[in-house]
Coordinates of all heavy atoms in Angstrom, one line a residue:
R106 N 24.9 41.5 51.2 CA 23.9 42.2 51.9 C 23.4 41.3 53.1 O 23.1 40.1 52.9 CB 22.7 42.6 51.0 CG 21.6 43.3 51.7 CD 21.5 44.7 51.2 NE 20.4 45.3 51.8 CZ 20.5 46.4 52.5 NH1 21.7 46.9 52.8 NH2 19.4 46.9 53.0
D107 N 23.3 41.9 54.2 CA 22.9 41.1 55.4 C 21.3 40.9 55.4 O 20.6 41.9 55.1 CB 23.3 41.8 56.6 CG 23.2 41.0 57.9 OD1 22.3 40.1 57.9 OD2 23.9 41.3 58.8
D108 N 20.9 39.7 55.6 CA 19.4 39.5 55.6 C 18.7 39.8 56.9 O 17.5 39.8 57.0 CB 19.2 38.0 55.2 CG 19.6 37.7 53.8 OD1 19.5 38.6 53.0 OD2 19.9 36.5 53.5
N109 N 19.5 40.0 58.0 CA 18.9 40.2 59.3 C 18.9 41.7 59.6 O 19.9 42.3 59.8 CB 19.8 39.5 60.3 CG 19.1 39.4 61.7 OD1 18.4 40.3 62.0 ND2 19.5 38.4 62.5
P110 N 17.7 42.3 59.7 CA 17.6 43.7 60.0 C 18.1 44.1 61.3 O 18.6 45.2 61.5 CB 16.1 44.0 59.9 CG 15.4 42.7 60.0 CD 16.4 41.7 59.6
Q111 N 18.1 43.2 62.3 CA 18.7 43.5 63.6 C 20.2 43.8 63.6 O 20.7 44.7 64.2 CB 18.4 42.4 64.6 CG 16.9 42.3 65.0 CD 16.6 41.2 65.9 OE1 17.3 40.2 65.9 NE2 15.6 41.3 66.7
I112 N 20.9 43.0 62.7 CA 22.3 43.2 62.6 C 22.6 44.5 61.9 O 23.5 45.2 62.3 CB 22.9 42.0 61.8 CG1 22.9 40.7 62.6 CG2 24.4 42.3 61.4 CD1 23.3 39.5 61.9
R113 N 21.8 44.8 60.9 CA 22.0 46.1 60.2 C 21.8 47.3 61.1 O 22.5 48.3 61.1 CB 21.1 46.2 59.0 CG 21.4 45.3 57.9 CD 20.7 45.6 56.6 NE 19.3 45.6 56.6 CZ 18.5 44.6 56.5 NH1 18.9 43.4 56.3 NH2 17.2 44.8 56.6
A114 N 20.7 47.2 62.0 CA 20.5 48.2 63.0 C 21.6 48.4 64.0 O 22.0 49.5 64.3 CB 19.1 48.0 63.7
I115 N 22.1 47.2 64.4 CA 23.2 47.3 65.4 C 24.5 47.9 64.7 O 25.1 48.7 65.4 CB 23.6 45.9 65.9 CG1 22.4 45.4 66.8 CG2 24.9 45.8 66.6 CD1 22.5 43.9 67.2
C116 N 24.7 47.6 63.5 CA 25.8 48.2 62.8 C 25.7 49.7 62.7 O 26.6 50.5 62.8 CB 26.0 47.6 61.4 SG 26.6 45.9 61.4
M117 N 24.5 50.2 62.4 CA 24.2 51.6 62.4 C 24.4 52.3 63.7 O 25.0 53.4 63.8 CB 22.8 51.9 61.9 CG 22.5 51.4 60.4 SD 23.7 52.2 59.2 CE 24.7 50.8 58.9
V118 N 24.1 51.6 64.8 CA 24.3 52.2 66.1 C 25.8 52.3 66.4 O 26.3 53.3 66.9 CB 23.6 51.3 67.2 CG1 24.1 51.7 68.6 CG2 22.1 51.4 67.1
E119 N 26.6 51.3 66.0 CA 28.0 51.3 66.2 C 28.7 52.4 65.3 O 29.6 53.1 65.8 CB 28.6 50.0 65.9 CG 28.2 48.9 66.9 CD 28.7 49.2 68.3 OE1 29.8 49.7 68.5 OE2 27.9 49.0 69.2
I120 N 28.3 52.6 64.1 CA 28.8 53.6 63.3 C 28.4 55.0 63.9 O 29.3 55.9 63.8 CB 28.3 53.5 61.8 CG1 28.9 52.3 61.1 CG2 28.5 54.8 61.0 CD1 28.4 52.0 59.8
C121 N 27.3 55.1 64.4 CA 26.9 56.3 65.1 C 27.8 56.7 66.2 O 28.2 57.8 66.4 CB 25.4 56.2 65.6 SG 24.8 57.6 66.5
I122 N 28.2 55.7 67.0 CA 29.2 55.9 68.1 C 30.5 56.4 67.5 O 31.1 57.4 68.1 CB 29.3 54.6 68.9 CG1 28.1 54.3 69.7 CG2 30.5 54.7 69.9 CD1 28.0 52.9 70.3
W123 N 31.0 55.8 66.5 CA 32.2 56.3 65.8 C 32.1 57.7 65.4 O 33.0 58.5 65.5 CB 32.6 55.4 64.7 CG 33.0 54.0 65.0 CD1 33.1 53.4 66.3 CD2 33.4 53.0 64.1 NE1 33.5 52.1 66.2 CE2 33.7 51.8 64.8 CE3 33.4 52.9 62.7 CZ2 34.1 50.6 64.2 CZ3 33.8 51.7 62.1 CH2 34.1 50.6 62.9
F124 N 31.0 58.0 64.7 CA 30.8 59.4 64.2 C 30.8 60.4 65.3 O 31.3 61.5 65.2 CB 29.5 59.5 63.4 CG 29.6 58.9 62.0 CD1 28.5 58.8 61.3 CD2 30.8 58.4 61.5 CE1 28.5 58.2 60.0 CE2 30.9 57.9 60.2 CZ 29.7 57.8 59.5
K125 N 30.2 60.0 66.5 CA 30.1 61.0 67.6 C 31.5 61.2 68.2 O 31.8 62.3 68.6 CB 29.2 60.4 68.7 CG 27.7 60.6 68.3 CD 26.8 60.0 69.4 CE 25.4 60.1 69.0 NZ 24.5 59.5 70.0
Q126 N 32.3 60.2 68.2 CA 33.6 60.3 68.8 C 34.6 61.0 67.8 O 35.5 61.7 68.3 CB 34.2 58.9 69.2 CG 33.5 58.3 70.3 CD 34.0 56.9 70.7 OE1 34.9 56.4 70.0 NE2 33.5 56.4 71.8
F127 N 34.5 60.7 66.5 CA 35.4 61.2 65.5 C 34.7 61.9 64.3 O 34.9 61.4 63.2 CB 36.4 60.1 65.0 CG 37.0 59.3 66.1 CD1 36.5 58.0 66.4 CD2 38.0 59.8 66.9 CE1 37.1 57.3 67.4 CE2 38.6 59.0 67.9 CZ 38.1 57.7 68.2
P128 N 33.9 62.9 64.5 CA 33.1 63.4 63.4 C 34.0 64.0 62.3 O 33.7 63.8 61.1 CB 32.2 64.5 64.0 CG 32.9 64.8 65.3 CD 33.6 63.6 65.8
K129 N 35.0 64.7 62.6 CA 35.9 65.3 61.5 C 36.6 64.2 60.8 O 36.9 64.3 59.6 CB 36.8 66.3 62.1 CG 36.1 67.5 62.6 CD 37.0 68.5 63.2 CE 36.3 69.7 63.7 NZ 37.1 70.7 64.3
H130 N 37.0 63.1 61.5 CA 37.7 62.0 60.8 C 36.9 61.4 59.7 O 37.4 61.1 58.7 CB 38.0 61.0 61.9 CG 38.9 59.9 61.4 ND1 40.3 60.1 61.2 CD2 38.7 58.6 61.2 CE1 40.8 59.0 60.8 NE2 39.8 58.1 60.8
F131 N 35.6 61.2 59.9 CA 34.8 60.6 59.0 C 34.3 61.5 57.8 O 33.7 61.0 56.9 CB 33.5 59.9 59.6 CG 33.9 58.6 60.3 CD1 34.2 58.6 61.7 CD2 34.0 57.5 59.6 CE1 34.5 57.5 62.3 CE2 34.4 56.3 60.3 CZ 34.7 56.3 61.6
L132 N 34.6 62.8 57.9 CA 34.3 63.7 56.8 C 35.4 63.6 55.7 O 35.2 64.2 54.7 CB 34.2 65.1 57.4 CG 32.9 65.3 58.2 CD1 33.0 66.8 58.8 CD2 31.7 65.1 57.4
D133 N 36.4 62.9 56.0 CA 37.5 62.7 55.1 C 37.0 61.8 53.9 O 36.3 60.9 54.1 CB 38.7 62.1 55.8 CG 39.9 61.9 54.9 OD1 39.9 62.4 53.7 OD2 40.9 61.4 55.4
D134 N 37.5 62.1 52.7 CA 37.1 61.3 51.5 C 37.4 59.8 51.6 O 36.8 59.0 51.0 CB 37.7 61.9 50.3 CG 37.1 63.2 49.9 OD1 36.1 63.6 50.4 OD2 37.7 63.9 49.1
S135 N 38.5 59.5 52.3 CA 38.9 58.1 52.4 C 37.9 57.2 53.2 O 37.9 56.0 53.1 CB 40.3 58.0 53.0 OG 40.2 58.4 54.4
Y136 N 37.0 57.8 53.9 CA 35.9 57.1 54.6 C 34.6 57.2 54.0 O 33.5 57.0 54.6 CB 35.9 57.5 56.1 CG 37.1 57.1 56.8 CD1 38.2 58.0 57.0 CD2 37.2 55.9 57.4 CE1 39.3 57.6 57.6 CE2 38.4 55.5 58.1 CZ 39.4 56.4 58.2 OH 40.6 56.0 58.8
F137 N 34.5 57.5 52.7 CA 33.3 57.7 52.0 C 32.5 56.4 52.0 O 31.2 56.4 51.9 CB 33.5 58.2 50.6 CG 32.2 58.5 49.9 CD1 31.5 59.6 50.2 CD2 31.8 57.7 48.8 CE1 30.3 59.9 49.6 CE2 30.6 58.0 48.2 CZ 29.9 59.0 48.5
T138 N 33.1 55.3 52.1 CA 32.4 54.0 52.0 C 31.4 53.9 53.2 O 30.3 53.4 53.0 CB 33.4 52.8 52.1 OG1 34.4 53.0 51.1 CG2 32.7 51.5 52.1
F139 N 31.8 54.4 54.4 CA 30.9 54.3 55.5 C 29.7 55.2 55.3 O 28.6 54.8 55.6 CB 31.6 54.7 56.8 CG 32.7 53.8 57.2 CD1 34.0 54.2 57.1 CD2 32.4 52.6 57.7 CE1 35.1 53.3 57.5 CE2 33.4 51.7 58.1 CZ 34.8 52.1 58.0
I140 N 29.9 56.4 54.7 CA 28.8 57.3 54.5 C 27.9 56.7 53.4 O 26.7 56.8 53.5 CB 29.4 58.7 54.0 CG1 30.3 59.2 55.0 CG2 28.2 59.6 53.8 CD1 29.8 59.6 56.4
S141 N 28.5 56.1 52.4 CA 27.6 55.6 51.3 C 26.8 54.4 51.8 O 25.7 54.2 51.4 CB 28.5 55.2 50.1 OG 29.4 54.1 50.4
E142 N 27.4 53.6 52.7 CA 26.6 52.5 53.3 C 25.4 53.0 54.1 O 24.3 52.5 54.1 CB 27.5 51.6 54.2 CG 26.9 50.4 54.8 CD 26.5 49.4 53.7 OE1 27.1 49.3 52.7 OE2 25.4 48.7 54.0
L143 N 25.6 54.1 54.8 CA 24.5 54.7 55.6 C 23.5 55.2 54.6 O 22.3 55.0 54.8 CB 25.0 55.9 56.4 CG 25.7 55.6 57.7 CD1 26.3 56.9 58.2 CD2 24.8 55.0 58.7
G144 N 23.9 55.8 53.5 CA 22.9 56.2 52.5 C 22.1 55.1 51.9 O 20.9 55.2 51.7
L145 N 22.7 53.9 51.7 CA 22.0 52.8 51.2 C 21.0 52.3 52.2 O 19.9 51.9 51.8 CB 23.0 51.6 50.8 CG 23.9 51.9 49.6 CD1 24.8 50.7 49.4 CD2 23.0 52.0 48.3
N146 N 21.4 52.3 53.4 CA 20.5 51.9 54.5 C 19.3 52.8 54.8 O 18.4 52.5 55.5 CB 21.2 51.5 55.8 CG 22.0 50.2 55.6 OD1 21.4 49.2 55.1 ND2 23.2 50.1 56.1
L147 N 19.4 54.0 54.3 CA 18.3 55.0 54.4 C 17.1 54.5 53.7 O 15.9 54.9 54.0 CB 18.7 56.4 53.9 CG 19.6 57.2 54.8 CD1 20.0 58.4 54.2 CD2 18.9 57.5 56.2
F148 N 17.3 53.6 52.7 CA 16.2 53.0 51.9 C 15.8 51.6 52.3 O 15.2 50.9 51.6 CB 16.5 53.1 50.4 CG 16.7 54.5 50.0 CD1 18.0 55.0 49.8 CD2 15.6 55.3 49.7 CE1 18.2 56.3 49.4 CE2 15.8 56.6 49.2 CZ 17.1 57.1 49.1
D149 N 16.3 51.2 53.5 CA 16.0 49.8 54.0 C 14.5 49.7 54.2 O 13.8 50.6 54.5 CB 16.7 49.6 55.3 CG 16.9 48.2 55.7 OD1 15.9 47.5 56.1 OD2 18.0 47.7 55.5
K150 N 14.0 48.4 54.1 CA 12.6 48.1 54.2 C 12.2 48.2 55.7 O 11.0 48.5 56.0 CB 12.3 46.7 53.8 CG 12.5 46.5 52.3 CD 12.2 45.1 51.9 CE 12.4 44.9 50.4 NZ 12.2 43.5 50.0
I151 N 13.1 48.1 56.6 CA 12.8 48.1 58.1 C 13.0 49.5 58.6 O 14.1 50.1 58.5 CB 13.7 47.1 58.8 CG1 13.7 45.7 58.2 CG2 13.4 47.0 60.3 CD1 12.3 45.1 58.1
S152 N 12.0 50.0 59.2 CA 12.0 51.4 59.7 C 13.1 51.6 60.8 O 13.7 52.7 60.8 CB 10.6 51.8 60.2 OG 10.2 51.1 61.3
D153 N 13.3 50.7 61.6 CA 14.3 50.8 62.7 C 15.7 51.0 62.1 O 16.5 51.8 62.6 CB 14.3 49.6 63.6 CG 15.2 49.8 64.8 OD1 15.1 50.9 65.4 OD2 15.9 48.9 65.2
V154 N 16.0 50.3 61.0 CA 17.3 50.5 60.4 C 17.4 51.9 59.8 O 18.5 52.6 59.9 CB 17.5 49.4 59.3 CG1 18.8 49.7 58.5 CG2 17.5 48.0 59.9
R155 N 16.4 52.4 59.2 CA 16.4 53.8 58.6 C 16.6 54.8 59.7 O 17.3 55.8 59.5 CB 15.1 54.0 57.8 CG 14.9 53.2 56.6 CD 13.8 53.7 55.7 NE 12.5 53.8 56.4 CZ 11.6 52.8 56.4 NH1 11.8 51.7 55.8 NH2 10.5 53.1 57.1
L156 N 15.9 54.6 60.8 CA 16.0 55.5 61.9 C 17.5 55.6 62.5 O 18.0 56.6 62.8 CB 15.0 55.1 63.1 CG 15.1 56.0 64.3 CD1 14.7 57.4 64.0 CD2 14.2 55.4 65.4
K157 N 18.1 54.4 62.6 CA 19.5 54.3 63.1 C 20.4 55.1 62.1 O 21.3 55.7 62.6 CB 19.9 52.9 63.3 CG 19.1 52.1 64.2 CD 19.2 52.5 65.6 CE 18.4 51.5 66.5 NZ 18.0 52.0 67.8
C158 N 20.1 55.0 60.8 CA 21.0 55.7 59.9 C 20.8 57.2 60.0 O 21.8 57.9 60.0 CB 20.5 55.3 58.4 SG 20.9 53.6 58.0
L159 N 19.6 57.7 60.2 CA 19.4 59.1 60.4 C 20.1 59.6 61.6 O 20.8 60.7 61.6 CB 17.9 59.4 60.4 CG 17.2 59.3 59.1 CD1 15.7 59.5 59.4 CD2 17.7 60.3 58.1
K160 N 20.0 58.8 62.7 CA 20.7 59.2 64.0 C 22.2 59.2 63.8 O 22.9 60.0 64.4 CB 20.3 58.3 65.1 CG 18.9 58.6 65.5 CD 18.5 57.7 66.8 CE 17.1 58.1 67.2 NZ 16.7 57.4 68.4
A161 N 22.7 58.3 63.0 CA 24.2 58.3 62.7 C 24.7 59.4 61.9 O 25.8 59.9 62.1 CB 24.5 56.9 62.0
L162 N 23.8 60.0 61.1 CA 24.2 61.1 60.2 C 24.1 62.4 60.9 O 24.8 63.4 60.5 CB 23.3 61.1 59.0 CG 23.6 60.0 57.9 CD1 22.6 60.0 56.8 CD2 25.0 60.2 57.3
Q163 N 23.3 62.5 62.0 CA 23.1 63.8 62.7 C 24.4 64.4 63.2 O 24.6 65.6 63.0 CB 22.1 63.6 63.8 CG 20.7 63.6 63.4 CD 19.8 63.4 64.6 OE1 20.1 62.8 65.6 NE2 18.5 63.8 64.5
P164 N 25.3 63.7 63.8 CA 26.5 64.4 64.3 C 27.4 65.0 63.1 O 28.0 66.0 63.3 CB 27.3 63.2 65.0 CG 26.4 62.2 65.2 CD 25.3 62.3 64.2
L165 N 27.3 64.3 62.0 CA 28.1 64.9 60.8 C 27.5 66.2 60.4 O 28.3 67.1 60.1 CB 28.1 63.9 59.7 CG 28.9 62.6 59.8 CD1 28.8 61.8 58.6 CD2 30.3 63.0 60.1
Y166 N 26.2 66.3 60.3 CA 25.6 67.6 59.9 C 25.7 68.6 61.0 O 25.6 69.8 60.7 CB 24.1 67.3 59.5 CG 24.0 66.7 58.2 CD1 23.6 65.3 58.1 CD2 24.3 67.3 57.0 CE1 23.5 64.7 56.9 CE2 24.2 66.7 55.8 CZ 23.8 65.4 55.7 OH 23.7 64.8 54.5
A167 N 25.9 68.3 62.2 CA 26.1 69.2 63.3 C 27.5 69.8 63.3 O 27.7 70.8 63.9 CB 25.8 68.6 64.6
T168 N 28.4 69.1 62.6 CA 29.8 69.6 62.6 C 30.0 70.7 61.6 O 29.5 70.7 60.5 CB 30.8 68.4 62.2 OG1 30.6 67.3 63.1 CG2 32.2 68.9 62.2
K169 N 30.6 71.8 62.1 CA 30.8 73.0 61.2 C 31.9 72.7 60.2 O 32.9 72.0 60.5 CB 31.2 74.2 62.0 CG 30.0 74.6 62.9 CD 30.3 75.9 63.6 CE 29.2 76.3 64.5 NZ 29.4 77.5 65.2

């Protein structure tokens, strides 16, 4: 687990970019690790990390 909340927030921003570019790709079961990592970070102590996670999940829920 990373001890630096800024690094965790940056990672969430990058995952968000990937999700926006390839939303259907990440809905595949083989990429469940990325989704589960987002889920774990939803309970982060730092609010900015939680916010980045929510923003990363939005494109997935917008995909039909």
Side-chain angles (χ1 to χ4, degrees):
R106 179 114 175 117
D107 193 334
D108 292 331
N109 189 333
Q111 291 176 330
I112 291 174
R113 291 193 305 273
I115 290 170
C116 288
M117 294 303 105
V118 169
E119 292 301 319
I120 288 176
C121 179
I122 291 170
W123 291 359
F124 283 173
K125 285 180 182 175
Q126 290 179 355
F127 311 104
K129 292 181 182 179
H130 187 72
F131 284 97
L132 290 174
D133 186 2
D134 290 344
S135 62
Y136 290 94
F137 185 71
T138 305
F139 294 108
I140 305 295
S141 63
E142 185 64 32
L143 283 170
L145 290 174
N146 283 319
L147 285 173
F148 298 98
D149 200 284
K150 293 179 183 179
I151 309 301
S152 62
D153 189 45
V154 176
R155 294 191 307 265
L156 179 63
K157 302 293 185 197
C158 290
L159 289 173
K160 287 185 177 183
L162 288 171
Q163 282 179 332
L165 289 180
Y166 285 107
T168 303
K169 293 183 181 182

